[in-house]
Amino acid sequence: MPGPAETAAVALGVDHKILKHGPVNSVAEAAAAQGVEVRDLVKTIVVRRAAGDYVFVLVPGDRQISWPKLRTLLGVNRLSLPDAATAKEATGYERGTITPFGSARVWPVIADETTRGRTINLGAGERGVGLQVAADQAVGALGGQFADVTEATSA
């Protein structure tokens, strides 16, 4: 039986593939388990703009949010990351499984520019499951936007 993320992808007409794998402890392990490069494993980060107001930021596995770029794009002076319980309340998903597909509430989606034109793997709402999609089709179906909002992960 499909989960809420796959059900939402189908409802939105997004071509997708479900990838199941065993337990993982890092982005690198998840990428290896799904047979993709780390940059194609895209984390869905829930960012709080204000009380009860969030955005989903799609961040390639080899990058991190650039807070100055994201604040400028959103026209705000302050952003924060909610704790795990608040993120679950806002999305319906546990950390490490969060995806904009099938979220408990619809939030704006911002995909990093580096995902444009690529096939990416997102969380699928449950541990050990990935949702592979074409970034352009997925972001379009979600009413999202591409923007330069990340930077290389500092080593």
Side-chain angles (χ1 to χ4, degrees):
M1 173 175 237
E6 184 177 12
T7 300
V10 169
L12 290 170
V14 174
D15 297 328
H16 65 282
K17 182 177 178 182
I18 294 294
L19 304 167
K20 295 188 177 189
H21 57 83
V24 296
N25 295 309
S26 69
V27 171
E29 285 183 23
Q34 293 180 29
V36 298
E37 294 180 37
V38 171
R39 70 182 183 150
D40 294 324
L41 191 82
V42 174
K43 304 168 284 191
T44 301
I45 309 295
V46 180
V47 176
R48 180 180 16 234
R49 284 194 284 198
D53 183 18
Y54 302 91
V55 297
F56 288 121
V57 183
L58 305 184
V59 179
D62 63 345
R63 299 183 68 79
Q64 61 190 14
I65 292 175
S66 167
W67 294 104
K69 290 178 183 179
L70 188 57
R71 284 192 302 270
T72 297
L73 176 72
L74 296 174
V76 298
N77 292 324
R78 187 172 188 276
L79 295 167
S80 63
L81 296 173
D83 62 33
T86 303
K88 183 172 183 185
E89 182 180 315
T91 67
Y93 296 125
E94 299 280 342
R95 274 197 185 151
T97 71
I98 295 174
T99 177
F101 287 99
S103 175
R105 298 237 350 239
V106 175
W107 302 110
V109 175
I110 301 164
D112 188 62
E113 184 65 38
T114 61
T115 64
R116 188 189 299 268
R118 302 189 61 80
T119 297
I120 60 172
N121 291 23
L122 298 167
E126 55 188 290
R127 300 239 180 253
V129 182
L131 183 70
Q132 189 173 67
V133 295
D136 295 18
Q137 184 189 33
V139 172
L142 292 164
Q145 67 177 331
F146 289 98
D148 176 14
V149 293
T150 69
E151 59 195 12
T153 303
S154 43

